[in-house]
Amino acid sequence: MGCIEELSYNILAKGMSFPKSRQYIEKTYAEVYHIMPGTKIFGDPLIGPPPIAIGIEGDLIVFPYVKPCHGTFLLSIEDSNEALRIRQTAKYVGKKR
C-alpha cells in the first residue's frame, strides 16, 4: 500500500473532531474497531487522540484522517483485504451502539 491520497476514497465529513468522529462511527457502522495512534491503515499511520475508531461494513472501511494544514476528514474506502487485516489486528469493540 502507499499513500491514502492515491486511493479512491469518499469524504463523508470535513472538520469533524475526533470525539465526534468516534461517536459517529460507533453509532453508525456494523462493526467498530479501535486502534492506537500510529497504527497503519492502507500503509499510512493514523494520527489523533486514542482510541481511533474504525467502522467496517462489509468491505467498506470508515476512519478519521488528518491532512496536515487541512484538518480532519472522515473517509471511506472499500477494500476487502484491508478490511480483513483490520478485523484480524485491531481491537473489536462491538457493533453500533
Side-chain angles (χ1 to χ4, degrees), residues 1-14:
M1 295 279 170
C3 178
I4 287 176
E5 294 292 323
E6 297 171 356
L7 301 174
S8 177
Y9 59 83
N10 291 314
I11 298 173
L12 304 177
K14 296 178 185 174

Side-chain angles (χ1 to χ4, degrees), residues 1-4 7 33-48 52-54 56 61-65 77 79 81-91:
M1 295 279 170
C3 178
I4 287 176
L7 301 174
Y33 297 84
H34 282 171
I35 62 170
M36 298 306 289
T39 302
K40 291 184 178 182
I41 301 292
F42 298 105
D44 282 351
L46 295 188
I47 59 174
I52 298 173
I54 307 291
I56 296 181
I61 304 162
V62 178
F63 58 99
Y65 182 69
I77 299 176
D79 187 301
N81 291 330
E82 190 69 354
L84 177 61
R85 193 186 69 77
I86 292 168
R87 286 178 174 120
Q88 292 174 338
T89 60
K91 180 183 177 186

